[in-house]
Amino acid sequence: MIWKILVNFILILLVSILQISFISNLPAGLNGLNIILLVIVFILMFSNYVLAFWWTIGLSLFFEIYFFLPFGLYSLVLFITLNIIYFLLYNFFTNRSLYSVLALIFFANLIYNILFIIFLYLFHLFFQTDFNITLNFDFISLQLFHLILNLFLAFIIFYIINFISYRWRPVFLVKKI
Amino acid sequence: MKKQKKIKIIKISVILFIVCILHFLGVLGSIEGKINYFLNPLFSFFYRAGSEINLIYTQQKEKRNIGDLLQECQKETERLLAENIKLKILEEENEKLRKYLDFKKKNDFGYVLANVISRSDIITYSNFNQFLLIDKGANDGIKKDLIVVNEEGIVIGKVIDVKEHISKIALTINPDCKIAATILNEKKTSGIVEGELGLTIKMNFIPQTEDLKIGDIVITSGLEESVPRGLVIGRISQIKRESNEVWQNAILEPIVNFDNLTIVAIVKPKLSIN
């Protein structure tokens, strides 16, 4: 049990460091990759809600410490995203197919970005914090490009997982928490 | 079983809510600081790995030999530019001191070196990340509005937020970075520079009567308490002048390359250095 917790903690730390430090400095638009969302969707899909929940807590706590947003905002956004994706997974995309993964990544990115824009704008409105996002063509095309990158990475990860293990082949999911 | 798991999740959510409250009360500050302190070297290591990839990509893109040569020339130019500006200012100060024999230096500045650990922000809203996170914070004497320079002494940004062991820097191309500046022309025109669109720097509030030239160097004016005079910010690349406006604007081209920043220096008043 303790080993399981330790391994998960180390993996959470690694994913956080990769996202915050390594990916942020990659060239050619690769800095738009969001492995946090990818990891959470894959855990939801191939494991269970509880593990995804713990990963969300761990990842969001690291991000709260390293980002300069109001404390709790990142956790809130990630939790809402997790729960919406869980709802979509068990009510609409009820198998472990590639299309389900890609659809869930799409919705996860969309919900994540929209929630952040809304919350950042609300904070700007009520607490006069900075809000430098302009919803113009450049911004939307950049977000689309990042979405395509994330979908491409999800595509690669999906096939690697399928290659590695027969346990995670497409099945219909019926079990709920 | 299902109900028990739901209750467990609700309990954990309540605990997290209490953690948030404790954070806002300042109780968790030292714990967060310790986490930053012990993990910063790891972040710095992975950031450098990303920088290496970035450098390889840039070199391949620009064709290696030419890229190397250009980088060398660029570095040399930056160094000479910064040195030249310092010498010009020393010359001016020398002349003034000759006139005012009892002149005393008000303040001295020193540098605190820091590793860059991240370039990310929650939502990337431009092709170019305009923020840096560094591994020095309030415990190292870093405060808001301190100027940050690269190894050649050229301004790369300003500190906009500080925690115990990390700080957030807005690059000069970021609209959040505003610096009081002077143009090195005959009249030493003053204005405010701020980032524009994450690509360039704009100098505002320049009187219409001032004569500007493309290629003029812009430096920090020293009018801000914690910012020394004479640090190079950029070079004028475009002048925007409308006859019906009170002010004219200048677009500056940053001299520094923001791509491969791994170590930066924060300029601090010497009296406050630990």
Side-chain angles (χ1 to χ4, degrees):
Chain A
M1 175 73 174
I2 293 173
W3 279 114
K4 205 175 166 187
I5 294 170
L6 195 63
V7 164
N8 274 290
F9 176 76
I10 290 168
L11 288 171
I12 287 170
L13 180 62
L14 190 65
V15 168
S16 304
I17 292 173
L18 280 174
Q19 180 66 45
I20 293 172
S21 287
F22 182 73
I23 287 174
S24 67
N25 199 25
L26 292 178
L30 292 173
N31 57 351
L33 283 169
N34 193 335
I35 57 171
I36 305 298
L37 292 179
L38 287 171
V39 159
I40 286 172
V41 167
F42 274 100
I43 290 173
L44 256 183
M45 189 156 252
F46 294 106
S47 185
N48 55 46
Y49 178 83
V50 176
L51 184 62
F53 180 79
W54 282 111
W55 268 74
T56 304
I57 292 175
L59 290 167
S60 56
L61 282 176
F62 275 113
F63 275 71
E64 297 292 4
I65 291 168
Y66 274 92
F67 281 112
F68 287 79
L69 291 174
F71 194 88
L73 176 61
Y74 192 88
S75 307
L76 182 64
V77 168
L78 216 52
F79 272 120
I80 294 172
T81 308
L82 168 73
N83 283 291
I84 293 175
I85 296 306
Y86 176 74
F87 172 79
L88 288 172
L89 174 62
Y90 280 97
N91 288 286
F92 297 97
F93 305 104
T94 52
N95 63 3
R96 286 195 197 127
S97 67
L98 174 64
Y99 310 104
S100 302
V101 169
L102 294 179
L104 288 172
I105 299 288
F106 172 81
F107 283 111
N109 266 278
L110 192 68
I111 293 158
Y112 178 87
N113 282 337
I114 288 172
L115 284 172
F116 261 119
I117 291 170
I118 291 170
F119 281 117
L120 288 174
Y121 184 73
L122 286 172
F123 272 95
H124 168 70
L125 211 59
F126 293 109
F127 303 108
Q128 281 83 48
T129 53
D130 290 323
F131 184 78
N132 291 317
I133 298 168
T134 315
L135 294 176
N136 53 17
F137 175 76
D138 287 335
F139 175 76
I140 292 169
S141 58
L142 182 68
Q143 298 311 312
L144 272 172
F145 174 69
H146 290 161
L147 175 64
I148 291 166
L149 269 179
N150 286 316
L151 289 172
F152 183 68
L153 185 62
F155 180 89
I156 294 170
I157 293 171
F158 180 84
Y159 275 105
I160 291 172
I161 289 173
N162 270 282
F163 181 74
I164 290 170
S165 172
Y166 290 106
R167 195 159 70 93
W168 292 327
R169 287 294 159 93
V171 292
F172 279 97
L173 302 169
V174 291
K175 190 178 167 187
K176 281 198 178 190
I177 60 153
Chain B
M1 187 69 170
K2 189 174 157 180
K3 200 179 175 184
Q4 276 178 350
K5 280 190 177 172
K6 276 191 177 169
I7 291 169
K8 193 178 175 186
I9 285 166
I10 290 167
K11 278 183 188 171
I12 293 164
S13 302
V14 168
I15 291 169
L16 287 172
F17 182 70
I18 293 168
V19 165
C20 284
I21 294 189
L22 288 174
H23 168 85
F24 285 113
L25 291 172
V27 173
L28 294 181
S30 58
I31 298 169
E32 289 171 26
K34 288 278 181 294
I35 293 171
N36 285 143
Y37 181 76
F38 287 113
L39 291 180
N40 280 346
L42 260 177
F43 279 89
S44 181
F45 172 77
F46 277 92
Y47 180 81
R48 281 169 195 271
S51 266
E52 288 297 322
I53 294 172
N54 203 342
L55 189 63
I56 291 166
Y57 173 79
T58 314
Q59 282 175 345
Q60 290 304 314
K61 205 174 154 192
E62 293 172 359
K63 290 184 184 174
R64 197 183 170 86
N65 290 334
I66 296 171
D68 275 342
L69 196 61
L70 263 172
Q71 271 185 19
E72 276 172 34
C73 291
Q74 217 169 4
K75 280 203 166 188
E76 189 58 29
T77 308
E78 284 171 20
R79 191 188 67 77
L80 289 169
L81 199 62
E83 206 179 301
N84 193 23
I85 301 300
K86 281 178 195 163
L87 288 170
K88 276 193 179 161
I89 289 164
L90 276 171
E91 200 181 341
E92 282 175 17
E93 280 181 356
N94 195 17
E95 275 188 53
K96 279 182 191 168
L97 282 171
R98 283 175 190 280
K99 290 178 190 174
Y100 300 100
L101 291 171
D102 61 346
F103 173 80
K104 282 176 190 169
K105 260 191 178 172
K106 280 186 188 172
N107 209 345
D108 237 2
F109 289 88
Y111 300 89
V112 174
L113 292 178
N115 292 307
V116 178
I117 58 173
S118 175
R119 289 192 74 152
S120 56
D121 202 7
I122 287 295
I123 292 186
T124 43
Y125 48 84
S126 82
N127 275 320
F128 194 81
N129 276 332
Q130 304 161 36
F131 293 99
L132 297 179
L133 286 185
I134 57 171
D135 64 354
K136 292 281 193 296
N139 274 16
D140 305 288
I142 307 297
K143 290 177 192 166
K144 266 184 82 167
D145 296 331
L146 291 182
I147 273 285
V148 185
V149 300
N150 69 351
E151 66 268 20
E152 314 298 335
I154 295 177
V155 175
I156 57 157
K158 217 176 189 187
V159 177
I160 56 167
D161 221 329
V162 183
K163 287 189 180 181
E164 246 183 64
H165 289 285
I166 55 171
S167 304
K168 187 176 184 181
I169 294 164
L171 298 177
T172 47
I173 51 173
N174 188 318
D176 292 337
C177 180
K178 293 177 175 56
I179 308 169
T182 299
I183 302 173
L184 283 184
N185 55 2
E186 272 183 39
K187 287 189 182 175
K188 302 290 181 282
T189 310
S190 289
I192 306 282
V193 299
E194 59 179 334
E196 192 176 53
L197 303 173
L199 294 167
T200 56
I201 310 166
K202 196 174 174 184
M203 187 164 180
N204 299 317
F205 306 114
I206 305 169
Q208 285 277 8
T209 51
E210 299 296 325
D211 195 26
L212 310 178
K213 278 185 219 148
I214 288 176
D216 277 346
I217 300 295
V218 179
I219 60 169
T220 51
S221 63
L223 291 174
E224 293 173 82
E225 196 189 331
S226 50
V227 179
R229 181 176 150 76
L231 298 173
V232 174
I233 300 172
R235 187 186 281 122
I236 294 179
S237 61
Q238 203 182 335
I239 301 165
K240 286 184 177 176
R241 187 186 256 170
E242 303 286 337
S243 52
N244 56 345
E245 296 282 332
V246 177
W247 310 104
Q248 59 176 318
N249 301 318
I251 304 292
L252 313 184
E253 173 203 337
I255 294 169
V256 72
N257 181 3
F258 294 115
D259 281 340
N260 296 311
L261 294 167
T262 52
I263 297 176
V264 297
I266 302 100
V267 181
K268 280 175 50 172
K270 238 183 190 165
L271 291 170
S272 60
I273 286 177
N274 297 333

Coordinates of all heavy atoms in Angstrom, one line a residue, chain A residues 12-45:
Chain A
I12 N 3.5 11.7 -9.8 CA 2.8 13.0 -9.8 C 3.8 14.1 -9.9 O 3.7 15.1 -10.6 CB 1.9 13.1 -8.6 CG1 0.6 12.2 -8.7 CG2 1.5 14.6 -8.4 CD1 -0.2 12.1 -7.4
L13 N 4.9 13.9 -9.1 CA 6.0 14.9 -9.0 C 6.6 15.1 -10.4 O 6.8 16.2 -10.9 CB 7.0 14.5 -8.0 CG 8.2 15.4 -7.8 CD1 7.8 16.8 -7.3 CD2 9.1 14.8 -6.7
L14 N 6.9 13.9 -11.0 CA 7.5 13.9 -12.3 C 6.7 14.6 -13.4 O 7.2 15.4 -14.2 CB 7.8 12.4 -12.7 CG 8.7 12.2 -14.0 CD1 10.1 12.7 -13.7 CD2 8.8 10.8 -14.3
V15 N 5.4 14.2 -13.4 CA 4.5 14.9 -14.4 C 4.4 16.4 -14.2 O 4.4 17.2 -15.1 CB 3.1 14.2 -14.3 CG1 2.1 15.0 -15.1 CG2 3.1 12.8 -14.8
S16 N 4.3 16.8 -12.9 CA 4.3 18.2 -12.6 C 5.5 18.9 -13.1 O 5.5 20.0 -13.7 CB 4.2 18.5 -11.1 OG 3.1 17.8 -10.5
I17 N 6.7 18.3 -12.8 CA 8.0 19.0 -13.2 C 8.1 19.0 -14.7 O 8.5 20.0 -15.3 CB 9.2 18.2 -12.6 CG1 9.2 18.4 -11.1 CG2 10.5 18.7 -13.2 CD1 10.2 17.5 -10.4
L18 N 7.7 18.0 -15.3 CA 7.7 18.0 -16.8 C 6.8 19.1 -17.4 O 7.2 19.8 -18.3 CB 7.2 16.6 -17.4 CG 8.3 15.5 -17.3 CD1 7.6 14.2 -17.8 CD2 9.4 15.8 -18.2
Q19 N 5.6 19.2 -16.9 CA 4.7 20.2 -17.4 C 5.2 21.6 -17.1 O 5.2 22.5 -18.0 CB 3.3 20.0 -16.8 CG 2.3 21.0 -17.3 CD 1.9 20.8 -18.7 OE1 1.8 19.7 -19.2 NE2 1.9 21.9 -19.5
I20 N 5.6 21.8 -15.9 CA 6.0 23.2 -15.5 C 7.3 23.6 -16.1 O 7.5 24.8 -16.6 CB 6.1 23.3 -13.9 CG1 4.6 23.2 -13.3 CG2 6.6 24.7 -13.5 CD1 4.6 23.1 -11.8
S21 N 8.3 22.8 -16.0 CA 9.7 23.2 -16.4 C 10.1 22.7 -17.8 O 10.6 23.5 -18.6 CB 10.7 22.6 -15.5 OG 10.6 23.3 -14.3
F22 N 9.9 21.5 -18.2 CA 10.4 20.9 -19.4 C 9.6 21.4 -20.6 O 10.1 22.0 -21.6 CB 10.5 19.4 -19.3 CG 11.1 18.8 -20.5 CD1 12.4 18.9 -20.8 CD2 10.3 18.1 -21.4 CE1 13.0 18.3 -21.9 CE2 10.8 17.5 -22.5 CZ 12.2 17.6 -22.8
I23 N 8.3 21.1 -20.5 CA 7.4 21.4 -21.7 C 7.3 22.9 -22.0 O 7.2 23.3 -23.1 CB 6.0 20.7 -21.5 CG1 6.1 19.2 -21.6 CG2 5.0 21.3 -22.4 CD1 4.9 18.5 -21.3
S24 N 7.3 23.7 -20.9 CA 7.1 25.1 -21.1 C 8.2 25.7 -21.9 O 8.1 26.8 -22.5 CB 7.1 25.8 -19.7 OG 8.4 25.7 -19.1
N25 N 9.4 25.1 -22.0 CA 10.5 25.7 -22.8 C 10.8 25.0 -24.1 O 11.8 25.2 -24.8 CB 11.8 25.6 -21.9 CG 12.8 26.5 -22.3 OD1 12.6 27.5 -22.9 ND2 14.1 26.2 -22.1
L26 N 9.8 24.2 -24.5 CA 10.0 23.5 -25.8 C 9.7 24.4 -27.0 O 8.9 25.3 -26.9 CB 9.1 22.2 -25.9 CG 9.5 21.1 -25.0 CD1 8.5 19.9 -25.1 CD2 10.9 20.6 -25.2
P27 N 10.4 24.2 -28.1 CA 10.2 25.1 -29.2 C 9.0 24.6 -30.1 O 8.4 23.6 -29.8 CB 11.5 25.0 -30.0 CG 11.9 23.5 -29.7 CD 11.4 23.2 -28.4
A28 N 8.8 25.4 -31.2 CA 7.9 25.0 -32.3 C 6.5 24.8 -31.8 O 5.8 23.9 -32.3 CB 8.4 23.7 -33.0
G29 N 6.1 25.5 -30.8 CA 4.7 25.4 -30.4 C 4.4 24.2 -29.4 O 3.3 24.0 -29.0
L30 N 5.4 23.4 -29.2 CA 5.2 22.2 -28.3 C 5.0 22.6 -26.9 O 4.6 21.8 -26.0 CB 6.5 21.3 -28.4 CG 6.7 20.6 -29.7 CD1 8.0 19.8 -29.7 CD2 5.5 19.6 -30.0
N31 N 5.2 23.9 -26.5 CA 5.0 24.3 -25.2 C 3.5 24.4 -24.8 O 3.1 24.6 -23.7 CB 5.6 25.7 -24.9 CG 5.1 26.7 -25.9 OD1 4.5 26.4 -26.9 ND2 5.5 28.0 -25.7
G32 N 2.7 24.1 -25.9 CA 1.2 24.1 -25.6 C 0.7 22.8 -25.2 O -0.5 22.6 -24.9
L33 N 1.6 21.8 -25.1 CA 1.1 20.4 -24.7 C 0.7 20.5 -23.2 O 1.3 21.2 -22.4 CB 2.3 19.4 -24.8 CG 2.6 18.9 -26.1 CD1 4.0 18.2 -26.1 CD2 1.5 18.0 -26.7
N34 N -0.4 19.8 -22.9 CA -1.0 19.8 -21.6 C -1.0 18.3 -21.1 O -2.0 17.6 -21.3 CB -2.3 20.4 -21.5 CG -2.8 20.7 -20.1 OD1 -2.3 20.0 -19.2 ND2 -3.7 21.7 -19.9
I35 N 0.1 17.8 -20.6 CA 0.1 16.4 -20.2 C -0.7 16.1 -18.9 O -1.1 15.0 -18.6 CB 1.5 15.9 -20.0 CG1 2.3 16.7 -19.0 CG2 2.3 15.8 -21.3 CD1 3.7 16.0 -18.6
I36 N -1.0 17.2 -18.2 CA -1.9 17.0 -17.0 C -3.2 16.5 -17.4 O -3.7 15.5 -16.8 CB -2.0 18.4 -16.3 CG1 -0.7 19.0 -15.9 CG2 -2.9 18.3 -15.0 CD1 0.1 18.2 -15.0
L37 N -3.8 17.1 -18.4 CA -5.2 16.7 -18.8 C -5.1 15.3 -19.4 O -5.9 14.4 -19.2 CB -5.7 17.7 -19.8 CG -6.1 19.0 -19.3 CD1 -6.7 19.9 -20.4 CD2 -7.1 18.9 -18.1
L38 N -4.0 15.0 -20.2 CA -3.9 13.7 -20.8 C -3.8 12.6 -19.8 O -4.4 11.6 -19.9 CB -2.6 13.7 -21.7 CG -2.6 14.5 -23.0 CD1 -1.3 14.6 -23.6 CD2 -3.6 13.9 -24.0
V39 N -3.0 12.9 -18.8 CA -2.8 11.9 -17.7 C -4.1 11.6 -17.0 O -4.5 10.5 -16.8 CB -1.7 12.4 -16.7 CG1 -1.8 11.7 -15.4 CG2 -0.3 12.2 -17.4
I40 N -4.8 12.7 -16.7 CA -6.1 12.5 -15.9 C -7.1 11.7 -16.8 O -7.8 10.8 -16.2 CB -6.6 13.9 -15.5 CG1 -5.7 14.4 -14.3 CG2 -8.1 13.8 -15.0 CD1 -6.0 15.8 -13.9
V41 N -7.2 12.1 -18.0 CA -8.2 11.3 -18.9 C -7.8 9.9 -19.0 O -8.6 9.0 -18.9 CB -8.3 12.0 -20.3 CG1 -9.0 11.2 -21.3 CG2 -8.9 13.4 -20.1
F42 N -6.5 9.6 -19.2 CA -6.1 8.2 -19.3 C -6.3 7.4 -18.1 O -6.7 6.2 -18.1 CB -4.6 8.1 -19.8 CG -4.5 8.2 -21.3 CD1 -4.1 9.4 -21.9 CD2 -4.7 7.1 -22.1 CE1 -4.0 9.5 -23.3 CE2 -4.6 7.2 -23.5 CZ -4.2 8.4 -24.1
I43 N -6.0 8.0 -16.9 CA -6.3 7.4 -15.7 C -7.8 7.1 -15.5 O -8.2 6.0 -15.1 CB -5.7 8.2 -14.5 CG1 -4.2 8.2 -14.5 CG2 -6.2 7.6 -13.1 CD1 -3.6 9.1 -13.5
L44 N -8.6 8.1 -15.8 CA -10.0 7.9 -15.7 C -10.5 6.7 -16.6 O -11.3 5.9 -16.2 CB -10.8 9.1 -16.2 CG -11.4 10.0 -15.1 CD1 -12.1 11.2 -15.8 CD2 -12.3 9.3 -14.2
M45 N -9.9 6.7 -17.8 CA -10.3 5.7 -18.8 C -9.8 4.3 -18.4 O -10.5 3.3 -18.6 CB -9.8 6.1 -20.1 CG -10.4 5.3 -21.2 SD -10.3 6.2 -22.8 CE -12.0 6.6 -23.0

